[in-house]
């Protein structure tokens, strides 16, 4: 038998290679990733573990900044160094081995310390989509974070010490259209159906349907009919209370056809309608945080330099105030439900058409703005995507690491609140900072040579920090002792865990999909505990 | 290798990081922990760890453990390398496509980490016997199959030894560290077989597989998935495009294209949008999205637990961690509870309460659908007057034919009685499970 030859082309090699992740962030997420350029400062074990999970999915390019020479210890914990790397530049060696993971990724190594680059060529950092730094000194952290904040380049600072790890994201403003919420709310507009939906709902008479059709109309129609019936006897108001909803359920039960003995027959679509009563009757509303975005001064005072996100927010506001009558554009998504193909597809198309119409209006407004401001144009596809997800837009305004390091009033009281609880994860935060301070003062990690002798010195650092935030010293030295025990050791599995997390957050930032950590993540591998703090 | 690499001084420098944790005691250490150089010696030269799976998690685990000092590593995987693995299975390159995963992974890591003596087993876990599994101190799994996990869990439970007073012989316990991921989510857990919750104790933690009712697929398709399922389940068998002896293979691009086109035709006919090649492939192969970063984090969490088990340097996680990286990075650790009547790990007679008038079908359905069993195709036998009697078995066609009428029969008509034992075999367990029937008139519908 001759085999049927395929007419449609097979997937490209690249699509095959990236198939499992394209299902998470789509082709547009992938192309955003491929135009990203990440700078890593210091190719420590943590650094290369981060790069691994960014290079594999296909980042556009990486640049490693590292002036260290490879030691035996480095090789012992870093998979992307080999025996022959000893004595060579760490960044160049790591780059060579990391790039083997994906030939599509470009790479560069710069054998200079970051503070020297900051002094001599600060523009160096301008071209990156993101800068990631591991194990840099307090002093460099201070100046680098300030510089990256000023030039508006996102920054992730991270470290791995013993069982502890932390990552801190610094980004001025980060807007996410596709947040991929776990349980997305439906947008059915049953309380205020738009014209074409209303016409469709009104065109169906449940009682007149034959038995087969009766069992195959979508629950949305059933629920609508039940509410209409209920409203007649309830001053035309919308059902809100529990009792109202019970009434609606009973009306739906009455709708179910009976057999010759008067026993209700099994109609799954009516059962679905009853189950939907509690959630689907929620009145359509404009989410508060979306309203806040639309009226944010960045959206109300557009300039030539406004980002496309703010321009679309502005157009969205214009839509809500006019055509939308106080509501966001229709999502145009219909969940699956028991229904005949014909009924379902018809209803689905009604929602889809309305969504397309609404998005079209928003797009026209976007174009008007773009013309007025003479700024870069925004594609129709982008506007459509924006409207589709308008209910779940997310914006985070970050803070500068340099400010956090200086322990200003708000940072101090924030930390103090957690320490009073007491929250052990905030204690870890203090310990990591104290260890950094120790490093600056003594040019080595606490406990590097032997643990006991450094306990008192590290305690001085801890108490200085606690004093700065007006907290009393820790009642016990156990965490200080533990940090000295670590002696600055970098444990591979702790770095690998944190490396996975940092890479993940980097991908979120570059693809502008999913919500990143806001803004500090602490990991304790010993107790398998994590926490997020917002500084 | 240079002679320098053998010297103690070099070894001390190279493992400096881990030595700090193992040769120094701390206030948060496990009560039994005694810091010494012996621990690293044990990890390197004695502690045998089996890694199950050389995929996304397995590659990471092998690398993580090799860099945590473990040398006596074994890794088992029956698969060969495919192009779609390369976005996360970082030990493989394009040239490796088609080669066995376990062998490739081992060669890479042994070369990169001098002294590592990892051994590859290119076979199914079911091909290895009790003696093989018994040699390990710790088993760590990175599998995507629930059945394989359950089988392995059953194997480790079957290695448990009990003392005369029915107490557990602790030396027979082989801890199992298990990781799993799906997209941006994952979990890691530590199982001490016979002591803490095992896989079978917590079957309800696995989400049921998404299926579409046949009538929807055949009569009222609404989603693109329905159209693809239709072609897969109904149209393929009807048209047999490559002849009746060729079954649908989701890995054969020509097959996928055929299904894709037929599904598109069907979708077009019904006005359904968005049948794509990617979706077709996803539905046919039941593809689970996967990304390097989530795998790295979960594998690392498992490796940390293996390190704790081997070194006693701190207490293990208790005992189940959930990781969600879709909205920030969030973890939650809880103590999954051991089921006193667990079909795998309880050390007492398993009892099934049943109505004397029930049919064999009732037992079969219970074994498949009850949260305590969730078996796939249980074969049921019993012993009557010293003779084995097969009551029902679906896995072998000729026996299925011969025994299917038994399903309709009452238990008593099959010679079963109150207190009789039935022996159940299934793909989810390496051993036959004995269940004692306890007749009780129950207040439920027995007709199904
Ligand atoms: Zn169990």
């Amino acid at each position: 038998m001759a085999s049927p030859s395929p007419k449609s082309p097979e997937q490209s090699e690249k699509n095959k290679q990236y198939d499992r992740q394209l299902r998470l962030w789509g082709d547009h997420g992938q192309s955003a990733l491929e135009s990203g350029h990440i700078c890593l400062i210091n190719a420590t074990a943590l650094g290369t573990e981060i790069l691994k999970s960014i290079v594999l999915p296909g980042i556009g390019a990486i640049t490693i900044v590292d002036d260290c020479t490879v030691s035996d210890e480095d090789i012992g914990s870093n998979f992307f160094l080999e025996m022959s790397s000893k004595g060579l530049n760490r960044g160049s060696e790591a780059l060579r081995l990391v790039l083997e993971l994906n030939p599509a990724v470009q790479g560069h190594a710069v054998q200079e310390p970051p503070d020297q680059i900051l002094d001599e060529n600060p523009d160096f950092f301008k071209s990156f989509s993101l800068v990631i730094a591991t194990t840099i000194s307090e002093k460099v952290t201070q100046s680098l974070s300030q510089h990256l904040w000023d030039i508006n380049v996102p920054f992730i600072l991270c470290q791995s010490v013993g069982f502890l790890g932390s990552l801190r994201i610094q980004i001025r403003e980060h807007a996410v259209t596709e947040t991929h919420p776990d349980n997305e709310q439906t947008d059915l507009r049953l309380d205020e159906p738009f014209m074409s939906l209303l016409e469709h709902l009104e065109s169906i008479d449940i009682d007149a349907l034959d038995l087969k059709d009766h069992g195959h109309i979508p629950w949305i129609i059933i629920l609508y009919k039940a509410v209409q019936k209920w409203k007649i006897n309830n001053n035309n108001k919308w059902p809100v209370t529990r009792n109202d909803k019970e009434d609606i359920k009973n009306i739906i039960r009455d709708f179910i056809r009976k057999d010759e003995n008067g026993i209700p027959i099994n109609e799954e679509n009516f059962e679905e309608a009853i189950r939907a009563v509690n959630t689907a009757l929620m009145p359509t509303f404009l989410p508060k945080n979306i309203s806040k975005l639309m009226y944010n001064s960045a959206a109300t005072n557009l300039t030539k330099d406004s980002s496309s996100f703010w321009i679309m927010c502005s157009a969205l506001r214009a839509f809500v105030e006019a055509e939308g009558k106080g509501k966001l554009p229709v999502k145009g998504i219909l969940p699956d439900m028991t229904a005949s193909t014909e009924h379902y597809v018809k209803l689905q198309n009604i929602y889809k058409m309305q969504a397309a119409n609404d998005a079209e209006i928003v797009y026209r407004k976007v174009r008007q703005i773009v013309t007025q401001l003479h700024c870069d144009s925004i594609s129709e596809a982008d506007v459509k995507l924006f409207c589709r997800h308008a209910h779940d837009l997310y914006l985070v305004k970050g803070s500068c690491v340099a400010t956090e390091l200086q322990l200003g009033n708000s940072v101090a009281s924030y930390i103090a609140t957690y320490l009073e609880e007491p929250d052990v994860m905030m204690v870890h935060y203090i310990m990591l900072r104290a260890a950094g301070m120790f490093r600056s003062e003594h040019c080595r990690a606490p406990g590097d040579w032997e643990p006991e002798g450094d306990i008192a010195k590290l305690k001085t650092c801890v108490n200085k920090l606690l004093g700065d935030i007006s907290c009393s010293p820790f009642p016990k030295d156990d965490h200080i002792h533990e940090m000295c025990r670590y002696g600055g050791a970098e444990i591979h599995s702790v770095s690998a865990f944190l490396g996975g997390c940092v890479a993940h957050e980097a991908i979120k930032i570059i693809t502008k999909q999913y919500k990143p950590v806001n803004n500090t993540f602490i990991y304790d591998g010993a107790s398998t505990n994590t926490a997020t703090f917002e500084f | 290798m240079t002679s320098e690499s053998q010297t103690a001084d070099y070894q001390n420098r190279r493992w400096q990081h881990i030595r700090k944790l193992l040769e120094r005691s701390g206030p948060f250490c496990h009560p039994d922990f005694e810091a010494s150089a012996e621990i690293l010696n044990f990890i390197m030269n004695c502690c045998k760890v089996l890694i199950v799976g050389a995929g996304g998690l397995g590659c990471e685990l092998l690398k993580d453990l090799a860099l945590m000092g473990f040398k006596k590593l074994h890794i088992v995987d029956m698969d060969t390398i495919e192009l779609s693995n390369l976005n996360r299975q970082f030990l493989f390159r394009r040239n490796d496509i088609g080669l066995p995963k376990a062998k490739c992974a081992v060669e890479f890591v042994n070369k990169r980490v001098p002294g590592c003596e990892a051994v590859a087993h290119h076979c199914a876990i079911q091909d290895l016997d009790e003696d093989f599994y018994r040699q390990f101190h710790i088993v760590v799994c990175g599998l995507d199959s629930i059945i394989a996990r359950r089988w392995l869990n059953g194997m480790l439970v079957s290695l448990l030894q009990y003392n005369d007073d029915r107490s557990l012989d602790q030396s027979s316990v082989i801890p199992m560290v298990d990781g799993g991921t799906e997209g941006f989510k994952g979990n890691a857990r530590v199982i001490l077989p016979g002591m803490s919750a095992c896989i079978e104790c917590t079957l309800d933690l696995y989400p049921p597989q998404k299926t579409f009712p046949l009538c929807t697929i055949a009569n009222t398709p609404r989603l693109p998935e329905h159209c693809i399922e239709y072609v897969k389940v109904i149209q393929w068998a009807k048209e047999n495009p490559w002849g009746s002896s060729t079954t649908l293979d989701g890995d054969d691009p020509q097959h996928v294209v055929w299904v894709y086109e037929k599904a598109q035709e069907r979708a077009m006919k019904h006005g359904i949008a968005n049948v794509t090649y990617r979706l077709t492939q996803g539905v046919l192969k039941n593809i689970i999205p996967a990304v390097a970063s989530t795998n790295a984090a979960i594998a690392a969490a498992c490796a940390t637990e293996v390190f704790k088990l081997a070194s006693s340097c701190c207490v293990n996680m208790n005992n189940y961690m959930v990781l969600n990286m879709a909205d920030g990075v969030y973890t939650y650790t809880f103590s999954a509870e051991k089921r006193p009547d667990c079909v795998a790990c309880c050390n007492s007679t398993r009892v099934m309460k049943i109505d004397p008038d029930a049919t064999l079908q009732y037992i079969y359905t219970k074994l498949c659908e009850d949260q305590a069993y969730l078996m796939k195709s249980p074969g049921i036998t019993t012993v009557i007057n010293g003779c084995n009697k097969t009551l029902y078995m679906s896995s072998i066609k000729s026996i299925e034919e011969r025994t299917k009428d038994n399903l309709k029969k009452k238990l008593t008509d099959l010679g079963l009685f109150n207190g009789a034992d039935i022996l159940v075999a299934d793909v989810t367990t390496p051993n036959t499970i004995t269940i004692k029937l306890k007749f009780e008139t129950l207040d439920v519908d027995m007709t199904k």
Side-chain angles (χ1 to χ4, degrees):
Chain A
M1 183 174 184
S3 65
S5 66
K7 280 161 268 159
S8 31
E10 239 208 272
Q11 279 182 303
S12 70
E13 290 280 292
K14 198 171 99 179
N15 272 342
K16 278 193 210 163
Q17 180 176 343
Y18 294 141
D19 179 82
R20 299 302 184 268
Q21 69 200 42
L22 291 173
R23 293 167 193 277
L24 293 164
W25 54 65
D27 297 311
H28 58 298
Q30 186 64 29
S31 65
L33 192 62
E34 285 168 18
S35 49
H37 188 169
I38 284 186
C39 171
L40 171 77
I41 299 175
N42 289 334
T44 54
L46 174 56
T48 56
E49 288 302 306
I50 296 167
L51 289 182
K52 164 164 66 61
S53 296
I54 299 179
V55 165
L56 285 165
I59 185 81
I62 54 170
T63 293
I64 301 180
V65 172
D66 195 336
D67 68 325
C68 293
T69 302
V70 177
S71 69
D72 288 327
E73 258 181 283
D74 285 333
I75 299 168
S77 67
N78 193 330
F79 193 73
F80 296 93
L81 296 174
E82 52 191 6
M83 299 290 280
S84 61
S85 305
K86 194 180 172 185
L88 302 175
N89 174 264
R90 190 170 65 178
S92 310
E93 280 300 284
L95 181 72
R96 177 172 66 80
L97 295 175
V98 164
L99 286 182
E100 281 180 2
L101 299 176
N102 193 342
V105 178
Q106 302 292 313
H108 317 270
V110 176
Q111 306 186 5
E112 283 172 55
D115 38 344
Q116 189 182 329
I117 299 175
L118 271 175
D119 285 345
E120 295 170 4
N121 181 19
D123 281 351
F124 170 83
F125 293 105
K126 261 190 179 155
S127 58
F128 299 115
S129 356
L130 173 68
V131 174
I132 300 171
T134 75
T135 51
I136 53 173
S137 72
E138 269 189 331
K139 192 167 149 278
V140 176
T141 306
Q142 185 83 33
S143 49
L144 181 66
S145 64
Q146 188 62 55
H147 178 64
L148 294 173
W149 180 260
D150 293 343
I151 61 171
N152 196 16
V153 169
F155 175 47
I156 304 180
L157 174 70
C158 48
Q159 59 179 326
S160 161
V161 183
F163 279 116
L164 295 180
S166 73
L167 77 88
R168 160 71 149 103
I169 299 178
Q170 168 183 299
I171 190 163
R172 274 178 172 260
E173 182 180 289
H174 183 66
V176 184
T177 304
E178 294 164 90
T179 54
H180 301 269
D182 261 348
N183 299 302
E184 198 186 346
Q185 296 285 322
T186 52
D187 179 27
L188 299 173
R189 313 278 167 129
L190 286 178
D191 55 335
E192 289 175 62
F194 44 90
M195 191 53 77
S196 54
L197 178 61
L198 183 67
E199 280 169 9
H200 179 67
L201 293 168
E202 289 297 340
S203 72
I204 293 170
D205 178 359
I206 295 194
D207 294 330
L209 297 171
D210 67 33
L211 186 61
K212 192 176 170 217
D213 236 12
H214 196 261
H216 283 92
I217 46 167
W219 64 255
I220 289 179
I221 295 170
I222 300 168
L223 187 57
Y224 176 78
K225 295 292 177 185
V227 173
Q228 291 311 107
K229 195 167 177 183
W230 181 86
K231 277 164 84 175
I232 295 169
N233 297 320
N234 289 278
N235 303 323
N236 216 24
K237 71 170 178 123
W238 186 254
V240 185
T241 67
R242 239 182 118 119
N243 282 340
D244 296 349
K245 291 181 178 171
E246 281 310 310
D247 288 348
I248 303 282
K249 287 184 191 170
N250 285 327
I251 294 173
I252 297 172
R253 284 188 192 105
D254 275 348
F255 283 162
I256 298 176
R257 297 263 166 101
K258 317 285 182 296
D259 65 10
E260 59 271 26
N261 301 318
I263 295 167
I265 59 172
N266 183 18
E267 292 188 301
E268 185 54 35
N269 51 339
F270 286 80
E271 299 300 329
E272 283 177 8
I274 291 168
R275 284 199 293 274
V277 165
N278 288 333
T279 52
L281 290 182
M282 173 123 86
T284 311
F285 69 103
L286 178 65
K288 250 202 195 107
N289 51 335
I290 306 302
S291 166
K292 254 169 99 181
L293 283 179
M294 296 184 329
Y295 292 97
N296 188 303
S297 63
T300 52
N301 303 314
L302 294 176
T303 70
K304 198 180 153 302
D305 300 319
S306 292
S307 69
S308 60
F309 180 81
W310 289 119
I311 292 173
M312 290 192 280
C313 279
S314 180
L316 190 68
R317 185 187 63 245
F319 172 87
V320 171
E321 286 174 351
E323 296 88 343
K325 298 185 189 116
K327 291 176 202 67
L328 291 171
V330 167
K331 281 186 186 176
I333 302 295
L334 189 63
D336 188 31
M337 57 193 71
T338 299
S340 66
T341 304
E342 201 194 335
H343 274 300
Y344 180 83
V345 170
K346 198 163 189 180
L347 193 58
Q348 188 183 40
N349 283 335
I350 288 169
Y351 281 106
K352 259 193 203 168
M353 284 294 290
Q354 188 62 34
N357 288 342
D358 288 356
E360 171 63 32
I361 297 170
V362 177
Y363 179 56
R364 276 207 302 272
K365 294 181 191 296
V366 167
R367 272 177 42 190
Q368 270 174 14
I369 297 170
V370 167
T371 314
Q372 278 168 14
L373 294 174
H374 301 288
C375 55
D376 292 344
S377 66
I378 300 171
S379 77
E380 189 171 1
D382 283 350
V383 177
K384 264 194 168 159
L385 195 72
F386 184 82
C387 291
R388 156 73 185 85
H389 298 287
H391 289 77
D392 296 299
L393 300 173
Y394 175 76
L395 179 89
V396 60
K397 291 214 176 246
S399 64
C400 179
V401 171
T403 315
E404 177 193 334
L405 289 182
Q406 285 149 13
L407 290 172
N409 279 339
S410 63
V411 175
S413 62
Y414 179 81
I415 296 172
T417 322
Y418 280 95
L419 287 179
E420 274 159 27
E421 272 187 39
D423 183 334
V424 69
M425 297 310 282
M426 189 56 94
V427 174
H428 292 322
Y429 169 80
I430 294 287
M431 292 316 307
L432 286 167
R433 281 199 58 173
M437 191 191 279
F438 184 107
R439 223 181 253 271
S440 310
E441 284 174 15
H442 305 277
C443 295
R444 59 182 174 82
D448 194 8
W449 302 326
E450 57 87 31
E452 274 74 22
D454 283 345
I455 291 179
K457 290 190 195 113
L458 181 59
K459 196 173 175 175
T460 312
C461 298
V462 171
N463 289 346
K464 162 124 194 2
L465 277 169
L466 293 174
D468 286 350
I469 55 172
S470 314
C471 280
S472 42
F474 294 145
K476 289 203 292 190
D477 288 349
D478 47 3
H479 290 283
I480 296 168
H481 186 164
E482 182 75 356
M483 181 55 84
C484 289
R485 172 190 175 213
Y486 296 158
E490 184 169 9
I491 301 305
H492 185 80
S493 66
V494 174
S495 290
F497 181 90
L498 198 70
C501 295
V502 173
H504 199 78
E505 297 309 292
I507 292 167
K508 287 179 186 171
I509 289 170
I510 290 172
T511 59
K512 297 195 165 65
Q513 293 188 41
Y514 300 89
K515 296 181 192 171
V517 165
N518 182 25
N519 48 29
T520 302
F521 175 79
I522 310 274
Y523 170 60
D524 176 25
S527 64
T528 323
N529 210 348
T530 65
T532 302
F533 297 115
E534 188 183 348
F535 292 108
Chain B
M1 206 180 295
T2 60
S3 62
E4 192 221 10
S5 67
Q6 317 291 346
T7 65
D9 184 40
Y10 161 78
Q11 289 293 343
N12 282 343
R13 281 201 309 276
R14 183 170 152 210
W15 299 105
Q16 182 71 43
H17 293 286
I18 287 176
R19 287 179 51 228
K20 283 177 180 160
L21 280 191
L22 299 179
E23 295 173 17
R24 299 170 171 189
S25 62
F28 301 106
C29 288
H30 191 284
D32 298 341
F33 178 74
E34 276 178 49
S36 86
E38 269 313 296
I39 304 173
L40 185 60
N41 186 35
F42 170 76
I43 287 177
M44 289 187 158
N45 300 318
C46 302
C47 189
K48 271 180 136 171
V49 180
L50 174 66
I51 301 169
V52 185
L57 288 170
C59 282
E60 293 280 345
L61 283 165
L62 185 60
K63 175 239 346 160
D64 290 343
L65 293 174
L67 290 179
M68 300 290 279
F70 294 89
K71 289 180 174 176
K72 312 277 182 198
L73 296 165
H74 286 239
I75 187 161
V76 51
D77 196 306
M78 66 189 290
D79 286 342
T80 53
I81 296 158
E82 291 173 28
L83 179 54
S84 65
N85 301 147
L86 301 188
N87 79 325
R88 60 194 187 287
Q89 299 176 17
F90 70 99
L91 300 175
F92 311 139
R93 306 286 173 261
R94 274 184 176 250
N95 287 341
D96 301 328
I97 290 171
L99 300 176
K101 285 186 179 179
K103 285 187 181 158
C104 237
V106 155
E107 273 170 31
F108 195 107
V109 170
N110 284 349
K111 188 165 163 239
R112 180 63 58 85
V113 185
C116 184
E117 301 161 13
V119 177
H121 302 272
H122 176 54
C123 62
I125 54 168
Q126 291 86 352
D127 296 342
L128 299 161
D129 61 10
E130 289 195 356
D131 286 337
F132 173 80
Y133 289 103
R134 197 178 285 120
Q135 66 179 308
F136 294 101
H137 292 90
I138 302 163
V139 172
V140 52
C141 317
L143 290 161
D144 53 8
S145 149
I146 294 173
I147 291 181
R149 255 193 203 96
R150 293 175 66 182
W151 188 92
L152 194 73
N153 178 72
M155 171 54 79
L156 297 182
V157 168
S158 74
L159 297 178
L160 294 177
Q161 307 265 329
Y162 288 86
N163 301 318
D164 291 341
D165 63 352
R166 295 180 71 81
S167 64
L168 181 65
D169 175 359
Q170 304 259 343
S171 68
S172 67
V173 175
I174 300 174
M176 171 171 166
V177 180
D178 179 54
T181 68
E182 181 169 349
F184 285 4
K185 294 172 185 171
N187 67 273
R189 65 188 295 187
V190 176
I191 296 168
L192 301 175
M195 298 169 73
S196 65
C198 81
I199 302 274
E200 300 288 321
C201 288
T202 53
L203 283 180
D204 53 334
L205 291 175
Y206 298 109
Q209 216 191 326
K210 213 168 122 193
T211 53
F212 303 104
L214 200 60
C215 60
T216 299
I217 298 167
N219 304 320
T220 59
R222 297 175 297 270
L223 305 181
E225 288 88 343
H226 296 156
C227 301
I228 298 163
E229 279 284 324
Y230 176 84
V231 181
K232 174 186 161 186
V233 177
I234 296 166
Q235 202 167 353
W236 179 276
K238 227 188 256 172
E239 299 190 16
N240 281 318
W242 274 268
S244 58
S245 59
T246 308
T247 53
L248 178 53
D249 177 2
D251 288 318
D252 184 329
Q254 293 207 35
H255 290 193
V256 181
V257 167
W258 190 86
V259 174
Y260 166 55
E261 285 172 358
K262 297 290 173 185
Q264 257 186 334
E265 275 172 30
R266 184 167 168 80
M268 197 95 81
K269 201 175 96 189
H270 288 99
I272 298 167
N274 297 331
V275 170
T276 62
Y277 187 92
R278 190 175 292 158
L279 183 72
T280 307
Q281 217 183 12
V283 172
L284 285 184
K285 293 178 67 181
N286 190 23
I287 289 176
I288 298 164
V291 58
S293 46
T294 316
N295 275 312
I298 285 295
C302 290
T304 303
E305 296 307 312
V306 172
F307 181 75
K308 290 181 196 171
L309 283 165
S311 67
S312 298
C313 73
C314 45
V315 181
N316 276 102
M317 75 159 77
N318 182 20
N319 47 32
Y320 197 114
M321 181 190 81
V322 195
L323 171 72
N324 186 348
M325 301 171 94
D327 184 352
V329 178
Y330 171 82
T331 67
Y332 171 64
T333 307
F334 67 96
S335 172
E337 289 198 20
K338 193 170 181 300
R339 250 183 108 120
D341 62 343
C342 172
V343 71
C345 74
C346 82
N347 181 36
S348 55
T349 319
R350 290 155 190 88
V351 175
M352 185 189 277
K353 290 179 187 170
I354 195 153
D355 190 289
D357 289 332
T359 60
L360 186 63
Q361 177 72 55
Y362 179 80
I363 292 185
Y364 184 81
T365 308
K366 197 173 166 71
L367 289 171
C368 292
E369 292 175 4
D370 193 314
Q371 281 291 338
Y373 305 104
L374 291 178
M375 292 184 173
K376 299 296 161 190
S377 54
I380 309 169
T381 56
T382 188
V383 179
I384 291 173
N385 301 329
C387 297
N388 278 318
K389 180 182 175 188
T390 303
L391 297 172
Y392 180 69
M393 193 174 286
S394 64
S395 50
I396 299 166
K397 207 160 184 192
S398 59
I399 304 181
E400 207 271 338
E401 286 290 314
R402 187 158 54 75
T403 56
K404 71 178 176 198
D405 286 342
N406 286 348
L407 288 175
K408 290 175 232 149
K409 292 184 189 160
K410 274 200 201 176
L411 300 178
T412 41
D413 295 342
L414 289 164
L416 294 169
F417 49 90
N418 189 21
D421 285 339
I422 56 167
L423 309 167
V424 184
D426 190 56
V427 287
T428 57
T429 166
N431 301 300
T432 306
I433 291 166
T434 307
I435 300 174
K436 197 171 274 307
L437 298 180
K438 189 173 175 203
F439 283 0
E440 241 174 47
T441 309
L442 296 172
D443 199 17
V444 290
D445 181 19
M446 287 290 166
T447 52
K448 71 173 192 176

